Each structure stands twice: as structure tokens, then as C-alpha cells.
Amino acid sequence: MGTSDKPSSELADLLCLETVLPYLEGGDPDGVITEMVDHLVSVGRLSADLRNRAIDSLLEREERTSTGIGAGVAIPHAFLEEISEVQTVFGRSEKGLDFQSIDNSSVEFVVLFLVPENQHQLHLKTLASIARLFLQEQVSEQLRAASVASEILEVFENGRASKPDREA
């Protein structure tokens, strides 16, 4: 996380090498969500006793409204009262996933995050930050070209420094 006491909503601050999955195995949203939550458990970012609750919350959220935001990106997310800080994992699907995105595009990039129940503002800021990041066309291109977790993290670091407000 960032150096200040204030929680960050920037994806580059929320991820580390162990929370980047360059090659997702799952072939559908449910499988990928389960795979990503299981990964958070396996690296010690989420307690094993919260696994089922996290998966259920994420899948319930997905049933209400797809988290496929378009441009090949999905952002499954849910609140958990039992956690004290945002837990995030990024995954890339080479096969593409049908998240029923608003633009009907196949999803290549999945940013899953779990937010403490009492941090609704952080939740909104994180969603906005991720959406802004992926508005930068070069971000998706660079993520496709990256072959390992460290290269993916570098894309997010560089994307944070860019100003997406102006078209190049």
C-alpha cells in the first residue's frame, strides 16, 4: 500500500507481485472469481474462513449487474465487514470471458477487489481509478504484451503517472 496512513484507491498501490495473475485458468466469470479469491487465500491476503462468503458476495453482485465495464475489463467487487483493508487481485485471460459487458466485448482483464464494509468512499474512488486507468488505450495494449507479473505491475505504475484527461 501507499506510504501514507490514508488507504489508496490507485490500482498500482493495491497490487503487488503476489496479487497479479498473468494467466487466468477459468473459462467463465464464476470460475475466474473463484480462482481469484482462492489465490487471495493462498497468498495469505484473505482468511480461508472468509473464502465462501467472499465468493458468494461477489457472485451475488455479478448476478444483480454485470461488472463488465467494457473495453475488455471487468471489476468484480464486494463488501466484507470482516476485513480491515481493501484486498485486490488482477488477472488476465487470454481466452476472453463473457462477463456480459455493457459493450458486449469479451473480458481480458479482471480486477477483483474486496472492500471493508465501512469504506464506501474508498470503494467508489477505487472503481473510478480503475475505470480511468483503462480509458488509456495504451494500458490495455501494454497489458496484453506483458508476460510476467512484474511487467504488469510496471504498466499500472506507468499508467498512474499518465494524465488520461487529454487525448494524445
Side-chain angles (χ1 to χ4, degrees), residues 106-146:
S106 182
V107 167
E108 298 172 78
F109 311 113
V110 182
V111 182
L112 181 149
F113 67 101
L114 300 167
V115 183
E117 185 69 49
N118 63 349
Q119 295 186 17
H120 287 269
Q121 274 305 112
L122 181 61
H123 163 254
L124 295 174
K125 287 180 180 178
T126 303
L127 282 172
S129 172
I130 294 167
R132 270 193 314 274
L133 178 68
F134 280 98
L135 282 175
Q136 302 171 62
E137 194 172 303
Q138 76 275 14
V139 168
S140 293
E141 293 169 10
Q142 292 168 356
L143 287 173
R144 282 184 203 100

PDB file of all heavy atoms in Angstrom, residues 106-146:
ATOM      1  N   SER A 106     -15.636  -9.197 -25.074  1.00  0.00           N
ATOM      2  CA  SER A 106     -15.062 -10.251 -24.249  1.00  0.00           C
ATOM      3  C   SER A 106     -14.096  -9.612 -23.242  1.00  0.00           C
ATOM      4  O   SER A 106     -13.392  -8.666 -23.574  1.00  0.00           O
ATOM      5  CB  SER A 106     -14.324 -11.226 -25.165  1.00  0.00           C
ATOM      6  OG  SER A 106     -13.786 -12.274 -24.424  1.00  0.00           O
ATOM      7  N   VAL A 107     -14.067 -10.136 -22.039  1.00  0.00           N
ATOM      8  CA  VAL A 107     -13.219  -9.577 -20.981  1.00  0.00           C
ATOM      9  C   VAL A 107     -11.859 -10.269 -20.968  1.00  0.00           C
ATOM     10  O   VAL A 107     -11.774 -11.485 -20.901  1.00  0.00           O
ATOM     11  CB  VAL A 107     -13.907  -9.696 -19.611  1.00  0.00           C
ATOM     12  CG1 VAL A 107     -12.941  -9.421 -18.463  1.00  0.00           C
ATOM     13  CG2 VAL A 107     -15.098  -8.749 -19.542  1.00  0.00           C
ATOM     14  N   GLU A 108     -10.816  -9.457 -21.044  1.00  0.00           N
ATOM     15  CA  GLU A 108      -9.439  -9.936 -20.964  1.00  0.00           C
ATOM     16  C   GLU A 108      -8.826  -9.649 -19.594  1.00  0.00           C
ATOM     17  O   GLU A 108      -7.950 -10.371 -19.144  1.00  0.00           O
ATOM     18  CB  GLU A 108      -8.557  -9.218 -21.989  1.00  0.00           C
ATOM     19  CG  GLU A 108      -8.924  -9.407 -23.421  1.00  0.00           C
ATOM     20  CD  GLU A 108      -8.100  -8.496 -24.297  1.00  0.00           C
ATOM     21  OE1 GLU A 108      -6.918  -8.831 -24.539  1.00  0.00           O
ATOM     22  OE2 GLU A 108      -8.620  -7.454 -24.725  1.00  0.00           O
ATOM     23  N   PHE A 109      -9.261  -8.558 -18.971  1.00  0.00           N
ATOM     24  CA  PHE A 109      -8.642  -8.084 -17.732  1.00  0.00           C
ATOM     25  C   PHE A 109      -9.674  -8.037 -16.615  1.00  0.00           C
ATOM     26  O   PHE A 109     -10.730  -7.423 -16.763  1.00  0.00           O
ATOM     27  CB  PHE A 109      -8.033  -6.697 -17.937  1.00  0.00           C
ATOM     28  CG  PHE A 109      -7.177  -6.609 -19.170  1.00  0.00           C
ATOM     29  CD1 PHE A 109      -7.551  -5.819 -20.240  1.00  0.00           C
ATOM     30  CD2 PHE A 109      -6.006  -7.349 -19.258  1.00  0.00           C
ATOM     31  CE1 PHE A 109      -6.766  -5.754 -21.381  1.00  0.00           C
ATOM     32  CE2 PHE A 109      -5.216  -7.289 -20.398  1.00  0.00           C
ATOM     33  CZ  PHE A 109      -5.595  -6.492 -21.468  1.00  0.00           C
ATOM     34  N   VAL A 110      -9.354  -8.696 -15.507  1.00  0.00           N
ATOM     35  CA  VAL A 110     -10.265  -8.750 -14.370  1.00  0.00           C
ATOM     36  C   VAL A 110      -9.557  -8.162 -13.150  1.00  0.00           C
ATOM     37  O   VAL A 110      -8.478  -8.615 -12.776  1.00  0.00           O
ATOM     38  CB  VAL A 110     -10.707 -10.204 -14.067  1.00  0.00           C
ATOM     39  CG1 VAL A 110     -11.687 -10.233 -12.907  1.00  0.00           C
ATOM     40  CG2 VAL A 110     -11.305 -10.860 -15.318  1.00  0.00           C
ATOM     41  N   VAL A 111     -10.175  -7.147 -12.567  1.00  0.00           N
ATOM     42  CA  VAL A 111      -9.677  -6.549 -11.332  1.00  0.00           C
ATOM     43  C   VAL A 111     -10.716  -6.862 -10.267  1.00  0.00           C
ATOM     44  O   VAL A 111     -11.805  -6.288 -10.263  1.00  0.00           O
ATOM     45  CB  VAL A 111      -9.495  -5.023 -11.461  1.00  0.00           C
ATOM     46  CG1 VAL A 111      -8.924  -4.456 -10.165  1.00  0.00           C
ATOM     47  CG2 VAL A 111      -8.611  -4.663 -12.650  1.00  0.00           C
ATOM     48  N   LEU A 112     -10.399  -7.815  -9.401  1.00  0.00           N
ATOM     49  CA  LEU A 112     -11.315  -8.206  -8.329  1.00  0.00           C
ATOM     50  C   LEU A 112     -10.866  -7.522  -7.055  1.00  0.00           C
ATOM     51  O   LEU A 112      -9.684  -7.539  -6.723  1.00  0.00           O
ATOM     52  CB  LEU A 112     -11.282  -9.726  -8.162  1.00  0.00           C
ATOM     53  CG  LEU A 112     -12.195 -10.330  -7.104  1.00  0.00           C
ATOM     54  CD1 LEU A 112     -12.639 -11.724  -7.543  1.00  0.00           C
ATOM     55  CD2 LEU A 112     -11.544 -10.407  -5.745  1.00  0.00           C
ATOM     56  N   PHE A 113     -11.810  -6.878  -6.368  1.00  0.00           N
ATOM     57  CA  PHE A 113     -11.434  -6.325  -5.077  1.00  0.00           C
ATOM     58  C   PHE A 113     -12.552  -6.455  -4.054  1.00  0.00           C
ATOM     59  O   PHE A 113     -13.729  -6.465  -4.383  1.00  0.00           O
ATOM     60  CB  PHE A 113     -10.893  -4.893  -5.184  1.00  0.00           C
ATOM     61  CG  PHE A 113     -11.866  -3.833  -5.596  1.00  0.00           C
ATOM     62  CD1 PHE A 113     -12.441  -2.983  -4.659  1.00  0.00           C
ATOM     63  CD2 PHE A 113     -12.172  -3.631  -6.931  1.00  0.00           C
ATOM     64  CE1 PHE A 113     -13.307  -1.974  -5.045  1.00  0.00           C
ATOM     65  CE2 PHE A 113     -13.029  -2.626  -7.323  1.00  0.00           C
ATOM     66  CZ  PHE A 113     -13.605  -1.796  -6.369  1.00  0.00           C
ATOM     67  N   LEU A 114     -12.114  -6.626  -2.826  1.00  0.00           N
ATOM     68  CA  LEU A 114     -12.984  -6.734  -1.664  1.00  0.00           C
ATOM     69  C   LEU A 114     -12.717  -5.524  -0.777  1.00  0.00           C
ATOM     70  O   LEU A 114     -11.564  -5.183  -0.535  1.00  0.00           O
ATOM     71  CB  LEU A 114     -12.694  -8.028  -0.903  1.00  0.00           C
ATOM     72  CG  LEU A 114     -12.897  -9.306  -1.715  1.00  0.00           C
ATOM     73  CD1 LEU A 114     -12.283 -10.505  -1.002  1.00  0.00           C
ATOM     74  CD2 LEU A 114     -14.382  -9.533  -1.978  1.00  0.00           C
ATOM     75  N   VAL A 115     -13.786  -4.895  -0.322  1.00  0.00           N
ATOM     76  CA  VAL A 115     -13.676  -3.641   0.419  1.00  0.00           C
ATOM     77  C   VAL A 115     -14.286  -3.822   1.806  1.00  0.00           C
ATOM     78  O   VAL A 115     -15.345  -4.436   1.940  1.00  0.00           O
ATOM     79  CB  VAL A 115     -14.439  -2.512  -0.324  1.00  0.00           C
ATOM     80  CG1 VAL A 115     -14.289  -1.177   0.378  1.00  0.00           C
ATOM     81  CG2 VAL A 115     -13.985  -2.421  -1.767  1.00  0.00           C
ATOM     82  N   PRO A 116     -13.638  -3.256   2.843  1.00  0.00           N
ATOM     83  CA  PRO A 116     -14.264  -3.275   4.168  1.00  0.00           C
ATOM     84  C   PRO A 116     -15.636  -2.598   4.111  1.00  0.00           C
ATOM     85  O   PRO A 116     -15.801  -1.582   3.416  1.00  0.00           O
ATOM     86  CB  PRO A 116     -13.299  -2.466   5.034  1.00  0.00           C
ATOM     87  CG  PRO A 116     -11.981  -2.570   4.326  1.00  0.00           C
ATOM     88  CD  PRO A 116     -12.329  -2.616   2.863  1.00  0.00           C
ATOM     89  N   GLU A 117     -16.589  -3.156   4.805  1.00  0.00           N
ATOM     90  CA  GLU A 117     -17.977  -2.677   4.780  1.00  0.00           C
ATOM     91  C   GLU A 117     -18.104  -1.179   5.057  1.00  0.00           C
ATOM     92  O   GLU A 117     -18.951  -0.509   4.491  1.00  0.00           O
ATOM     93  CB  GLU A 117     -18.797  -3.470   5.800  1.00  0.00           C
ATOM     94  CG  GLU A 117     -20.267  -3.164   5.786  1.00  0.00           C
ATOM     95  CD  GLU A 117     -20.973  -3.651   4.520  1.00  0.00           C
ATOM     96  OE1 GLU A 117     -20.778  -4.806   4.148  1.00  0.00           O
ATOM     97  OE2 GLU A 117     -21.721  -2.859   3.917  1.00  0.00           O
ATOM     98  N   ASN A 118     -17.253  -0.641   5.892  1.00  0.00           N
ATOM     99  CA  ASN A 118     -17.382   0.761   6.297  1.00  0.00           C
ATOM    100  C   ASN A 118     -16.604   1.737   5.413  1.00  0.00           C
ATOM    101  O   ASN A 118     -16.464   2.896   5.750  1.00  0.00           O
ATOM    102  CB  ASN A 118     -16.944   0.928   7.752  1.00  0.00           C
ATOM    103  CG  ASN A 118     -15.482   0.580   7.957  1.00  0.00           C
ATOM    104  OD1 ASN A 118     -14.832   0.030   7.074  1.00  0.00           O
ATOM    105  ND2 ASN A 118     -14.970   0.890   9.135  1.00  0.00           N
ATOM    106  N   GLN A 119     -16.125   1.284   4.266  1.00  0.00           N
ATOM    107  CA  GLN A 119     -15.309   2.152   3.416  1.00  0.00           C
ATOM    108  C   GLN A 119     -15.938   2.367   2.037  1.00  0.00           C
ATOM    109  O   GLN A 119     -15.311   2.164   1.000  1.00  0.00           O
ATOM    110  CB  GLN A 119     -13.886   1.587   3.300  1.00  0.00           C
ATOM    111  CG  GLN A 119     -13.158   1.600   4.622  1.00  0.00           C
ATOM    112  CD  GLN A 119     -11.707   1.182   4.491  1.00  0.00           C
ATOM    113  OE1 GLN A 119     -11.134   1.164   3.409  1.00  0.00           O
ATOM    114  NE2 GLN A 119     -11.101   0.834   5.615  1.00  0.00           N
ATOM    115  N   HIS A 120     -17.173   2.853   2.036  1.00  0.00           N
ATOM    116  CA  HIS A 120     -17.902   3.062   0.777  1.00  0.00           C
ATOM    117  C   HIS A 120     -17.232   4.113  -0.102  1.00  0.00           C
ATOM    118  O   HIS A 120     -17.213   3.976  -1.327  1.00  0.00           O
ATOM    119  CB  HIS A 120     -19.364   3.430   1.050  1.00  0.00           C
ATOM    120  CG  HIS A 120     -20.163   2.263   1.529  1.00  0.00           C
ATOM    121  ND1 HIS A 120     -20.833   1.433   0.676  1.00  0.00           N
ATOM    122  CD2 HIS A 120     -20.365   1.770   2.778  1.00  0.00           C
ATOM    123  CE1 HIS A 120     -21.436   0.480   1.367  1.00  0.00           C
ATOM    124  NE2 HIS A 120     -21.164   0.661   2.641  1.00  0.00           N
ATOM    125  N   GLN A 121     -16.687   5.166   0.469  1.00  0.00           N
ATOM    126  CA  GLN A 121     -15.999   6.202  -0.324  1.00  0.00           C
ATOM    127  C   GLN A 121     -14.796   5.610  -1.040  1.00  0.00           C
ATOM    128  O   GLN A 121     -14.557   5.905  -2.206  1.00  0.00           O
ATOM    129  CB  GLN A 121     -15.545   7.367   0.555  1.00  0.00           C
ATOM    130  CG  GLN A 121     -16.579   8.438   0.782  1.00  0.00           C
ATOM    131  CD  GLN A 121     -17.127   9.011  -0.514  1.00  0.00           C
ATOM    132  OE1 GLN A 121     -18.287   8.796  -0.828  1.00  0.00           O
ATOM    133  NE2 GLN A 121     -16.337   9.728  -1.273  1.00  0.00           N
ATOM    134  N   LEU A 122     -14.021   4.792  -0.327  1.00  0.00           N
ATOM    135  CA  LEU A 122     -12.844   4.160  -0.927  1.00  0.00           C
ATOM    136  C   LEU A 122     -13.269   3.246  -2.079  1.00  0.00           C
ATOM    137  O   LEU A 122     -12.626   3.202  -3.117  1.00  0.00           O
ATOM    138  CB  LEU A 122     -12.053   3.386   0.119  1.00  0.00           C
ATOM    139  CG  LEU A 122     -10.783   2.704  -0.386  1.00  0.00           C
ATOM    140  CD1 LEU A 122      -9.801   3.734  -0.943  1.00  0.00           C
ATOM    141  CD2 LEU A 122     -10.137   1.905   0.728  1.00  0.00           C
ATOM    142  N   HIS A 123     -14.372   2.561  -1.906  1.00  0.00           N
ATOM    143  CA  HIS A 123     -14.918   1.688  -2.938  1.00  0.00           C
ATOM    144  C   HIS A 123     -15.188   2.488  -4.216  1.00  0.00           C
ATOM    145  O   HIS A 123     -14.773   2.107  -5.312  1.00  0.00           O
ATOM    146  CB  HIS A 123     -16.197   1.041  -2.381  1.00  0.00           C
ATOM    147  CG  HIS A 123     -17.090   0.436  -3.395  1.00  0.00           C
ATOM    148  ND1 HIS A 123     -18.270   1.033  -3.769  1.00  0.00           N
ATOM    149  CD2 HIS A 123     -16.992  -0.691  -4.118  1.00  0.00           C
ATOM    150  CE1 HIS A 123     -18.861   0.268  -4.676  1.00  0.00           C
ATOM    151  NE2 HIS A 123     -18.110  -0.781  -4.907  1.00  0.00           N
ATOM    152  N   LEU A 124     -15.859   3.614  -4.091  1.00  0.00           N
ATOM    153  CA  LEU A 124     -16.180   4.443  -5.255  1.00  0.00           C
ATOM    154  C   LEU A 124     -14.919   5.019  -5.894  1.00  0.00           C
ATOM    155  O   LEU A 124     -14.794   5.051  -7.121  1.00  0.00           O
ATOM    156  CB  LEU A 124     -17.139   5.570  -4.852  1.00  0.00           C
ATOM    157  CG  LEU A 124     -18.519   5.113  -4.397  1.00  0.00           C
ATOM    158  CD1 LEU A 124     -19.333   6.306  -3.893  1.00  0.00           C
ATOM    159  CD2 LEU A 124     -19.251   4.390  -5.519  1.00  0.00           C
ATOM    160  N   LYS A 125     -13.987   5.464  -5.069  1.00  0.00           N
ATOM    161  CA  LYS A 125     -12.735   6.011  -5.601  1.00  0.00           C
ATOM    162  C   LYS A 125     -11.934   4.942  -6.333  1.00  0.00           C
ATOM    163  O   LYS A 125     -11.312   5.211  -7.357  1.00  0.00           O
ATOM    164  CB  LYS A 125     -11.891   6.611  -4.466  1.00  0.00           C
ATOM    165  CG  LYS A 125     -12.432   7.909  -3.943  1.00  0.00           C
ATOM    166  CD  LYS A 125     -11.555   8.448  -2.822  1.00  0.00           C
ATOM    167  CE  LYS A 125     -12.104   9.744  -2.291  1.00  0.00           C
ATOM    168  NZ  LYS A 125     -11.313  10.269  -1.177  1.00  0.00           N
ATOM    169  N   THR A 126     -11.938   3.723  -5.800  1.00  0.00           N
ATOM    170  CA  THR A 126     -11.207   2.632  -6.434  1.00  0.00           C
ATOM    171  C   THR A 126     -11.824   2.285  -7.784  1.00  0.00           C
ATOM    172  O   THR A 126     -11.117   2.130  -8.779  1.00  0.00           O
ATOM    173  CB  THR A 126     -11.165   1.397  -5.512  1.00  0.00           C
ATOM    174  OG1 THR A 126     -10.574   1.776  -4.265  1.00  0.00           O
ATOM    175  CG2 THR A 126     -10.345   0.277  -6.121  1.00  0.00           C
ATOM    176  N   LEU A 127     -13.149   2.192  -7.840  1.00  0.00           N
ATOM    177  CA  LEU A 127     -13.823   1.931  -9.121  1.00  0.00           C
ATOM    178  C   LEU A 127     -13.482   3.005 -10.144  1.00  0.00           C
ATOM    179  O   LEU A 127     -13.151   2.710 -11.299  1.00  0.00           O
ATOM    180  CB  LEU A 127     -15.339   1.877  -8.924  1.00  0.00           C
ATOM    181  CG  LEU A 127     -15.928   0.610  -8.341  1.00  0.00           C
ATOM    182  CD1 LEU A 127     -17.412   0.807  -8.034  1.00  0.00           C
ATOM    183  CD2 LEU A 127     -15.743  -0.548  -9.301  1.00  0.00           C
ATOM    184  N   ALA A 128     -13.543   4.261  -9.733  1.00  0.00           N
ATOM    185  CA  ALA A 128     -13.256   5.375 -10.644  1.00  0.00           C
ATOM    186  C   ALA A 128     -11.807   5.345 -11.107  1.00  0.00           C
ATOM    187  O   ALA A 128     -11.508   5.572 -12.285  1.00  0.00           O
ATOM    188  CB  ALA A 128     -13.573   6.704  -9.962  1.00  0.00           C
ATOM    189  N   SER A 129     -10.907   5.050 -10.194  1.00  0.00           N
ATOM    190  CA  SER A 129      -9.487   4.997 -10.528  1.00  0.00           C
ATOM    191  C   SER A 129      -9.202   3.907 -11.559  1.00  0.00           C
ATOM    192  O   SER A 129      -8.459   4.120 -12.525  1.00  0.00           O
ATOM    193  CB  SER A 129      -8.684   4.756  -9.250  1.00  0.00           C
ATOM    194  OG  SER A 129      -7.336   4.523  -9.541  1.00  0.00           O
ATOM    195  N   ILE A 130      -9.805   2.740 -11.380  1.00  0.00           N
ATOM    196  CA  ILE A 130      -9.605   1.627 -12.313  1.00  0.00           C
ATOM    197  C   ILE A 130     -10.185   1.988 -13.680  1.00  0.00           C
ATOM    198  O   ILE A 130      -9.550   1.765 -14.718  1.00  0.00           O
ATOM    199  CB  ILE A 130     -10.220   0.331 -11.749  1.00  0.00           C
ATOM    200  CG1 ILE A 130      -9.453  -0.109 -10.502  1.00  0.00           C
ATOM    201  CG2 ILE A 130     -10.220  -0.771 -12.806  1.00  0.00           C
ATOM    202  CD1 ILE A 130     -10.149  -1.184  -9.692  1.00  0.00           C
ATOM    203  N   ALA A 131     -11.382   2.554 -13.695  1.00  0.00           N
ATOM    204  CA  ALA A 131     -12.001   2.938 -14.966  1.00  0.00           C
ATOM    205  C   ALA A 131     -11.143   3.965 -15.699  1.00  0.00           C
ATOM    206  O   ALA A 131     -10.922   3.850 -16.912  1.00  0.00           O
ATOM    207  CB  ALA A 131     -13.403   3.485 -14.719  1.00  0.00           C
ATOM    208  N   ARG A 132     -10.631   4.964 -14.984  1.00  0.00           N
ATOM    209  CA  ARG A 132      -9.761   5.985 -15.603  1.00  0.00           C
ATOM    210  C   ARG A 132      -8.505   5.352 -16.183  1.00  0.00           C
ATOM    211  O   ARG A 132      -8.073   5.697 -17.274  1.00  0.00           O
ATOM    212  CB  ARG A 132      -9.344   7.041 -14.567  1.00  0.00           C
ATOM    213  CG  ARG A 132     -10.270   8.217 -14.471  1.00  0.00           C
ATOM    214  CD  ARG A 132      -9.651   9.366 -13.683  1.00  0.00           C
ATOM    215  NE  ARG A 132      -9.008   8.976 -12.445  1.00  0.00           N
ATOM    216  CZ  ARG A 132      -9.621   8.840 -11.271  1.00  0.00           C
ATOM    217  NH1 ARG A 132     -10.907   9.060 -11.168  1.00  0.00           N
ATOM    218  NH2 ARG A 132      -8.943   8.498 -10.201  1.00  0.00           N
ATOM    219  N   LEU A 133      -7.929   4.430 -15.443  1.00  0.00           N
ATOM    220  CA  LEU A 133      -6.711   3.776 -15.899  1.00  0.00           C
ATOM    221  C   LEU A 133      -6.946   3.070 -17.235  1.00  0.00           C
ATOM    222  O   LEU A 133      -6.157   3.200 -18.167  1.00  0.00           O
ATOM    223  CB  LEU A 133      -6.244   2.767 -14.842  1.00  0.00           C
ATOM    224  CG  LEU A 133      -4.999   1.958 -15.169  1.00  0.00           C
ATOM    225  CD1 LEU A 133      -3.775   2.867 -15.189  1.00  0.00           C
ATOM    226  CD2 LEU A 133      -4.819   0.855 -14.139  1.00  0.00           C
ATOM    227  N   PHE A 134      -8.058   2.349 -17.347  1.00  0.00           N
ATOM    228  CA  PHE A 134      -8.314   1.586 -18.559  1.00  0.00           C
ATOM    229  C   PHE A 134      -8.862   2.436 -19.705  1.00  0.00           C
ATOM    230  O   PHE A 134      -8.980   1.956 -20.824  1.00  0.00           O
ATOM    231  CB  PHE A 134      -9.212   0.389 -18.262  1.00  0.00           C
ATOM    232  CG  PHE A 134      -8.450  -0.761 -17.667  1.00  0.00           C
ATOM    233  CD1 PHE A 134      -8.435  -0.966 -16.288  1.00  0.00           C
ATOM    234  CD2 PHE A 134      -7.718  -1.615 -18.464  1.00  0.00           C
ATOM    235  CE1 PHE A 134      -7.721  -2.010 -15.735  1.00  0.00           C
ATOM    236  CE2 PHE A 134      -6.999  -2.665 -17.922  1.00  0.00           C
ATOM    237  CZ  PHE A 134      -6.995  -2.867 -16.550  1.00  0.00           C
ATOM    238  N   LEU A 135      -9.157   3.699 -19.450  1.00  0.00           N
ATOM    239  CA  LEU A 135      -9.503   4.609 -20.543  1.00  0.00           C
ATOM    240  C   LEU A 135      -8.275   4.919 -21.397  1.00  0.00           C
ATOM    241  O   LEU A 135      -8.392   5.340 -22.536  1.00  0.00           O
ATOM    242  CB  LEU A 135     -10.077   5.922 -19.996  1.00  0.00           C
ATOM    243  CG  LEU A 135     -11.522   5.882 -19.524  1.00  0.00           C
ATOM    244  CD1 LEU A 135     -11.917   7.215 -18.906  1.00  0.00           C
ATOM    245  CD2 LEU A 135     -12.462   5.517 -20.659  1.00  0.00           C
ATOM    246  N   GLN A 136      -7.117   4.720 -20.826  1.00  0.00           N
ATOM    247  CA  GLN A 136      -5.870   4.939 -21.556  1.00  0.00           C
ATOM    248  C   GLN A 136      -5.635   3.730 -22.464  1.00  0.00           C
ATOM    249  O   GLN A 136      -5.349   2.643 -21.983  1.00  0.00           O
ATOM    250  CB  GLN A 136      -4.705   5.110 -20.580  1.00  0.00           C
ATOM    251  CG  GLN A 136      -4.884   6.253 -19.600  1.00  0.00           C
ATOM    252  CD  GLN A 136      -3.815   6.230 -18.540  1.00  0.00           C
ATOM    253  OE1 GLN A 136      -2.646   6.355 -18.851  1.00  0.00           O
ATOM    254  NE2 GLN A 136      -4.227   6.060 -17.286  1.00  0.00           N
ATOM    255  N   GLU A 137      -5.777   3.948 -23.756  1.00  0.00           N
ATOM    256  CA  GLU A 137      -5.700   2.843 -24.716  1.00  0.00           C
ATOM    257  C   GLU A 137      -4.394   2.058 -24.607  1.00  0.00           C
ATOM    258  O   GLU A 137      -4.380   0.835 -24.730  1.00  0.00           O
ATOM    259  CB  GLU A 137      -5.852   3.396 -26.133  1.00  0.00           C
ATOM    260  CG  GLU A 137      -6.124   2.328 -27.157  1.00  0.00           C
ATOM    261  CD  GLU A 137      -6.451   2.925 -28.503  1.00  0.00           C
ATOM    262  OE1 GLU A 137      -7.401   3.716 -28.576  1.00  0.00           O
ATOM    263  OE2 GLU A 137      -5.749   2.591 -29.466  1.00  0.00           O
ATOM    264  N   GLN A 138      -3.296   2.754 -24.332  1.00  0.00           N
ATOM    265  CA  GLN A 138      -2.005   2.062 -24.280  1.00  0.00           C
ATOM    266  C   GLN A 138      -1.921   1.104 -23.098  1.00  0.00           C
ATOM    267  O   GLN A 138      -1.155   0.143 -23.144  1.00  0.00           O
ATOM    268  CB  GLN A 138      -0.827   3.053 -24.258  1.00  0.00           C
ATOM    269  CG  GLN A 138      -0.581   3.749 -22.937  1.00  0.00           C
ATOM    270  CD  GLN A 138      -1.419   5.003 -22.700  1.00  0.00           C
ATOM    271  OE1 GLN A 138      -2.387   5.257 -23.404  1.00  0.00           O
ATOM    272  NE2 GLN A 138      -1.052   5.784 -21.712  1.00  0.00           N
ATOM    273  N   VAL A 139      -2.715   1.304 -22.061  1.00  0.00           N
ATOM    274  CA  VAL A 139      -2.675   0.412 -20.898  1.00  0.00           C
ATOM    275  C   VAL A 139      -3.063  -1.006 -21.317  1.00  0.00           C
ATOM    276  O   VAL A 139      -2.355  -1.967 -21.020  1.00  0.00           O
ATOM    277  CB  VAL A 139      -3.565   0.939 -19.745  1.00  0.00           C
ATOM    278  CG1 VAL A 139      -3.757  -0.125 -18.669  1.00  0.00           C
ATOM    279  CG2 VAL A 139      -2.947   2.194 -19.141  1.00  0.00           C
ATOM    280  N   SER A 140      -4.181  -1.149 -22.022  1.00  0.00           N
ATOM    281  CA  SER A 140      -4.608  -2.486 -22.456  1.00  0.00           C
ATOM    282  C   SER A 140      -3.586  -3.112 -23.395  1.00  0.00           C
ATOM    283  O   SER A 140      -3.286  -4.302 -23.287  1.00  0.00           O
ATOM    284  CB  SER A 140      -5.975  -2.414 -23.145  1.00  0.00           C
ATOM    285  OG  SER A 140      -6.961  -2.048 -22.209  1.00  0.00           O
ATOM    286  N   GLU A 141      -3.056  -2.322 -24.310  1.00  0.00           N
ATOM    287  CA  GLU A 141      -2.045  -2.845 -25.242  1.00  0.00           C
ATOM    288  C   GLU A 141      -0.819  -3.355 -24.484  1.00  0.00           C
ATOM    289  O   GLU A 141      -0.295  -4.432 -24.781  1.00  0.00           O
ATOM    290  CB  GLU A 141      -1.624  -1.751 -26.236  1.00  0.00           C
ATOM    291  CG  GLU A 141      -2.723  -1.353 -27.192  1.00  0.00           C
ATOM    292  CD  GLU A 141      -2.380  -0.102 -27.994  1.00  0.00           C
ATOM    293  OE1 GLU A 141      -1.219   0.361 -27.958  1.00  0.00           O
ATOM    294  OE2 GLU A 141      -3.294   0.424 -28.651  1.00  0.00           O
ATOM    295  N   GLN A 142      -0.355  -2.570 -23.512  1.00  0.00           N
ATOM    296  CA  GLN A 142       0.827  -2.965 -22.741  1.00  0.00           C
ATOM    297  C   GLN A 142       0.543  -4.178 -21.868  1.00  0.00           C
ATOM    298  O   GLN A 142       1.413  -5.037 -21.687  1.00  0.00           O
ATOM    299  CB  GLN A 142       1.316  -1.788 -21.900  1.00  0.00           C
ATOM    300  CG  GLN A 142       1.884  -0.664 -22.746  1.00  0.00           C
ATOM    301  CD  GLN A 142       2.109   0.615 -21.943  1.00  0.00           C
ATOM    302  OE1 GLN A 142       1.782   0.696 -20.757  1.00  0.00           O
ATOM    303  NE2 GLN A 142       2.655   1.626 -22.598  1.00  0.00           N
ATOM    304  N   LEU A 143      -0.675  -4.273 -21.323  1.00  0.00           N
ATOM    305  CA  LEU A 143      -1.028  -5.439 -20.510  1.00  0.00           C
ATOM    306  C   LEU A 143      -1.063  -6.705 -21.350  1.00  0.00           C
ATOM    307  O   LEU A 143      -0.667  -7.772 -20.893  1.00  0.00           O
ATOM    308  CB  LEU A 143      -2.373  -5.227 -19.807  1.00  0.00           C
ATOM    309  CG  LEU A 143      -2.361  -4.248 -18.646  1.00  0.00           C
ATOM    310  CD1 LEU A 143      -3.781  -3.996 -18.164  1.00  0.00           C
ATOM    311  CD2 LEU A 143      -1.471  -4.725 -17.511  1.00  0.00           C
ATOM    312  N   ARG A 144      -1.522  -6.602 -22.583  1.00  0.00           N
ATOM    313  CA  ARG A 144      -1.528  -7.760 -23.477  1.00  0.00           C
ATOM    314  C   ARG A 144      -0.107  -8.219 -23.774  1.00  0.00           C
ATOM    315  O   ARG A 144       0.156  -9.409 -23.907  1.00  0.00           O
ATOM    316  CB  ARG A 144      -2.230  -7.425 -24.791  1.00  0.00           C
ATOM    317  CG  ARG A 144      -3.713  -7.429 -24.709  1.00  0.00           C
ATOM    318  CD  ARG A 144      -4.360  -7.179 -26.062  1.00  0.00           C
ATOM    319  NE  ARG A 144      -5.698  -6.674 -25.852  1.00  0.00           N
ATOM    320  CZ  ARG A 144      -6.053  -5.389 -25.919  1.00  0.00           C
ATOM    321  NH1 ARG A 144      -5.189  -4.465 -26.253  1.00  0.00           N
ATOM    322  NH2 ARG A 144      -7.290  -5.038 -25.675  1.00  0.00           N
ATOM    323  N   ALA A 145       0.816  -7.267 -23.904  1.00  0.00           N
ATOM    324  CA  ALA A 145       2.203  -7.581 -24.253  1.00  0.00           C
ATOM    325  C   ALA A 145       3.018  -8.091 -23.067  1.00  0.00           C
ATOM    326  O   ALA A 145       4.019  -8.777 -23.250  1.00  0.00           O
ATOM    327  CB  ALA A 145       2.884  -6.342 -24.843  1.00  0.00           C
ATOM    328  N   ALA A 146       2.602  -7.763 -21.848  1.00  0.00           N
ATOM    329  CA  ALA A 146       3.356  -8.167 -20.658  1.00  0.00           C
ATOM    330  C   ALA A 146       3.299  -9.681 -20.499  1.00  0.00           C
ATOM    331  O   ALA A 146       2.263 -10.301 -20.728  1.00  0.00           O
ATOM    332  CB  ALA A 146       2.776  -7.487 -19.425  1.00  0.00           C
TER     333      ALA A 146
END
